[in-house]
């Protein structure tokens, strides 16, 4: 759940396995070489803006279907920036991306360069585009352009709470993936991403992986640690997904209602502070009333917004802009300007659209992951009931978190049950979680902490926003994570960073 706010189209852009005895097979080609060796053909990555010149790229072939390791293969793209102090090198640190549908190939050049020097000295920084994503063998469902708008990425119901439109969208997007997604689309899942990681580990020549995982990456990494517990070294789960095996992605979507309620008061306090230029109201309660009133007005009378998708500022566009801005307090001024513009009947310049091919790809991967992980209800009545309950209790999100994603009409049944996260395995995991997070709320992180038991400790950070370590957290939390990655030292028990 990348920076996730930078991947609004990725995070829950589509609708969202004890493995029935199936474990990830290690084929002859995937057997680990001696630690420190490699079976990869590293070459300089293609030159791109923002990409570190030291970053190298390679690909690993993995089975499309891990139950048939000798069958068709697909490519997974990797990158690395080698440890900067070879004499101090400990191993590799995988920078696991969020999403689902988030790219990670350039993480060593991006977030990896924010890591303290003592971490960059000790680890090769590894990036990955998960199966179906980006520079890996990409999938594409050929979605309608209208279904890719920012406010369509999550299932906002009609202004009166009807789910008819979202059910129609679910059928349309699912049919597109059945038509154009190809065989790989049926095998994009969290469990398969985890199995791919072990083949990546083997190809890197490493006996163990250290990981810094963010958002959806925390769930993939927890599943990896469950399936391959003795292949983990030092694992950081940052902004942590709820591992509930009964709901998986459906639970992540539902978590937004509480996450927004946890986080909105911080925006409301800022937007009513006399020190805030152009504050929106005189009190936090006034800001909340303004947002709810304005969204309802825009439901009835949208403001034209040429060049945007959709080409109007309606209630759902405003609600989605609110949700997105709560991921990062640095975005509060942009949200406030949008609110002021809407109140005055005008719009700011239309946001630059993301690249069409990349957006199609990310939404397709997100759809495949969420829908293949677990079966979603197919009855509109289930969603209508949930939406009505959510709208009454959590008006800021207007019922969206309990509505239907494309998974409500997904044509393929899950191939396996979700992996149940347990406390079986070495104690080598540190969770870091902001108290106020709109996407992965504290309650879900606590459930992951409970599931991991003695395998983990958790640092709760008195901070607001998604992505804690080196981003929206605080100095105490950052020091705790850095110390663990550099030395292996964790707090002796769960701790709080004020």
């Amino acid at each position: 759940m990348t920076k996730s706010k930078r991947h609004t189209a990725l995070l829950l852009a589509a609708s969202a396995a004890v493995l029935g005895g199936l474990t990830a097979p290690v084929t002859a080609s995937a057997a680990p070489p001696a630690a420190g060796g490699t079976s990869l053909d590293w070459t300089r990555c293609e030159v791109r803006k923002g990409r570190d010149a030291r970053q190298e790229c390679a690909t690993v072939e993995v089975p499309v279907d891990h139950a048939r390791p000798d069958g068709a293969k697909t490519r997974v793209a990797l990158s690395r920036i080698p440890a900067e102090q070879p004499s101090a090198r400990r191993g590799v640190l995988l920078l696991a991306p969020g999403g689902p549908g988030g790219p990670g190939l350039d993480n060593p050049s991006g977030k990896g360069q924010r890591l303290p020097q003592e971490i960059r000295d000790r680890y090769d920084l590894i990036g990955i585009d998960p199966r179906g994503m980006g520079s890996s063998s990409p999938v594409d469902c050929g979605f309608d352009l209208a279904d890719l708008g920012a406010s369509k990425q999550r299932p906002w119901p009609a202004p009166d709470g009807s789910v008819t439109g979202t059910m129609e969208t679910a059928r349309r997007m699912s049919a597109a993936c059945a038509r154009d997604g190809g065989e790989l689309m049926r095998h994009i899942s969290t469990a398969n991403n985890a199995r791919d990681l072990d083949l990546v580990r083997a190809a890197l020549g490493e006996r163990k992986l250290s990981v810094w995982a963010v958002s959806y990456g925390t769930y993939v990494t927890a599943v990896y640690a469950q399936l391959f517990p003795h292949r983990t070294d030092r694992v950081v789960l940052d902004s942590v997904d709820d591992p509930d095996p009964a709901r998986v992605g459906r639970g992540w979507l539902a978590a937004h209602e509480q996450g927004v309620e946890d986080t909105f008061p911080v925006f409301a306090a800022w937007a009513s502070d006399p020190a805030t230029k152009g504050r929106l109201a005189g009190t936090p309660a006034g800001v909340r009333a303004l947002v709810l009133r304005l969204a309802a007005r825009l439901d009835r009378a949208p403001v034209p917004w040429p060049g945007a998708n959709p080409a109007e500022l309606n209630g759902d566009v405003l609600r989605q802009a609110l949700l997105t801005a709560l991921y990062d307090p640095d975005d509060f001024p942009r949200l406030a300007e949008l609110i002021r513009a809407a109140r005055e009947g005008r719009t700011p310049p239309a946001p630059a659209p993301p690249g069409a091919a990349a957006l199609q790809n990310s939404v397709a991967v997100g759809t495949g992951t969420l829908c293949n992980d677990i079966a979603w209800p197919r009855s509109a009545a289930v969603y209508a009931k949930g939406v009505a309950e959510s709208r009454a209790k959590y008006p800021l999100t207007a019922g969206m978190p309990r509505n239907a994603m494309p998974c409500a009409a997904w044509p393929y049944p899950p191939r396996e049950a979700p992996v149940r996260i347990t406390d079986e395995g070495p104690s080598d995991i540190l969770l870091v979680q902001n108290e106020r997070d709109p996407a992965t709320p504290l309650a879900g992180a606590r459930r992951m902490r409970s599931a991991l038991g003695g395998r983990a400790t958790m640092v709760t950070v008195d901070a607001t926003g998604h992505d804690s370590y080196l981003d929206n957290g605080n100095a105490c939390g950052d020091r705790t994570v850095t110390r663990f990655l550099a030395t292996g030292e964790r707090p002796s028990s769960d701790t709080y960073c004020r």
Side-chain angles (χ1 to χ4, degrees):
M1 301 183 160
T2 59
K3 186 175 205 171
S4 294
K5 71 124 181 148
R6 293 172 185 156
H7 302 289
T8 299
L10 319 178
L11 185 61
L12 280 163
S15 28
V18 212
L19 297 179
L22 177 65
T23 57
V26 178
T27 65
S29 62
T38 182
S39 62
L40 297 172
D41 181 17
W42 292 105
T43 60
R44 189 75 64 188
C45 295
E46 177 186 348
V47 176
R48 291 183 186 172
K49 183 178 180 180
R51 181 174 280 177
D52 194 300
R54 297 171 298 167
Q55 183 172 297
E56 302 171 313
C57 287
T59 59
V60 175
E61 281 197 340
V62 300
V64 169
D65 182 353
H66 279 275
R68 299 179 178 178
D70 297 325
K73 300 295 193 292
T74 187
R75 296 188 311 277
V76 171
L78 307 178
S79 65
R80 74 172 177 185
I81 293 179
E84 295 180 24
Q85 181 56 262
S87 62
R89 183 184 183 277
R90 177 178 179 83
V92 300
L93 178 64
L94 173 69
L95 310 179
L105 193 70
D106 283 336
N107 278 347
S109 293
K111 63 188 292 182
Q113 296 311 300
R114 301 202 310 267
L115 285 162
Q117 188 67 50
E118 58 197 303
I119 306 300
R120 290 183 281 122
D121 283 346
R122 286 170 167 79
Y123 295 96
D124 295 351
L125 305 182
I126 304 297
I128 185 170
D129 276 352
R131 61 169 48 208
M133 187 73 224
S135 295
S136 300
S137 303
V139 294
D140 186 331
C141 292
F143 296 122
D144 290 353
L145 178 63
D147 290 333
L148 298 176
S151 61
K152 295 297 290 289
Q153 298 302 309
R154 290 177 179 83
W156 298 99
D160 65 356
S162 168
V163 304
T164 300
T166 47
M167 290 298 290
E168 291 174 351
T169 299
R171 288 189 287 269
R172 183 169 59 249
M173 295 183 73
S174 293
C177 286
R179 181 186 65 239
D180 297 331
E183 181 64 17
L184 181 58
M185 179 60 65
R186 305 180 66 172
H187 299 276
I188 294 177
S189 70
T190 298
N192 282 337
N193 285 337
R195 296 178 181 114
D196 291 347
L197 285 184
D198 203 55
L199 300 186
V200 166
R201 173 204 58 77
L204 288 168
E206 300 293 329
R207 299 197 183 280
K208 296 186 177 185
L209 285 179
S210 290
V211 186
W212 170 24
V214 175
S215 197
Y216 167 70
T218 65
Y219 182 60
V220 177
T221 303
V223 170
Y224 178 77
Q226 184 70 35
L227 299 181
F228 306 97
H230 299 291
R231 295 300 190 186
T232 56
D233 187 11
R234 297 171 182 171
V235 174
V236 173
L237 306 184
D238 175 355
S239 305
V240 186
D241 268 327
D242 186 337
D244 178 6
R247 296 202 298 169
V248 195
R250 191 177 174 213
W252 307 336
L253 181 67
H256 280 35
E257 58 189 16
Q258 186 61 57
V260 169
E261 290 292 341
D262 289 347
T263 311
F264 183 81
V266 181
F267 170 73
W270 172 87
S272 60
D273 189 330
T276 298
K277 183 178 179 181
R279 65 179 177 155
L280 298 176
T283 65
V287 174
R288 183 184 179 93
L290 168 62
V291 169
L292 292 172
R293 186 172 61 248
L294 183 57
R297 192 190 86 191
L298 292 170
D299 283 337
R300 297 188 301 269
V303 177
W305 200 355
N309 183 16
E312 64 179 24
L313 174 52
N314 58 38
D316 289 343
V317 171
L318 181 65
R319 294 180 185 102
Q320 180 60 54
L322 168 66
L323 173 59
T324 302
L326 293 179
Y327 278 61
D328 188 340
D330 289 345
D331 288 344
F332 287 0
R334 186 179 301 115
L335 172 62
E337 170 54 26
L338 181 64
I339 291 171
R340 282 191 293 269
R343 185 168 55 181
E344 297 165 8
R346 60 181 176 85
T347 55
L359 185 56
Q360 285 278 1
N361 176 221
S362 67
V363 175
V365 173
T367 301
T369 307
L370 296 171
C371 300
N372 289 330
D373 271 4
I374 197 169
W376 288 49
R378 304 183 77 83
S379 167
V382 171
Y383 297 105
K385 181 177 184 292
V387 164
E389 292 172 350
S390 185
R391 283 165 67 86
K393 190 173 182 181
Y394 303 97
L396 287 171
T397 44
M400 175 276 291
R402 300 196 209 178
N403 204 358
M405 299 292 273
C407 310
W410 195 241
Y412 312 119
R415 291 174 173 263
E416 55 189 328
V419 174
R420 182 177 295 276
I421 305 303
T422 74
D423 59 359
E424 298 174 4
S427 183
D428 56 8
I429 301 172
L430 176 66
L431 283 66
V432 58
Q433 175 68 41
N434 285 353
E435 260 191 307
R436 298 167 296 279
D437 184 325
T440 57
L442 179 60
R446 284 173 170 161
R447 281 189 281 272
M448 178 71 85
R449 170 68 187 89
S450 178
L452 289 167
R455 298 195 66 183
T457 58
M458 178 168 164
V459 54
T460 302
V461 181
D462 180 13
T464 300
H466 192 55
D467 295 9
S468 183
Y469 181 49
L470 305 180
D471 197 346
N472 292 316
N474 65 24
C476 166
D478 290 352
R479 285 194 303 270
T480 304
V481 175
T482 295
R483 185 183 307 116
F484 173 59
L485 288 175
T487 70
E489 179 186 345
R490 290 181 309 179
S492 57
S493 60
D494 293 351
T495 190
Y496 181 72
C497 275
R498 189 173 299 281

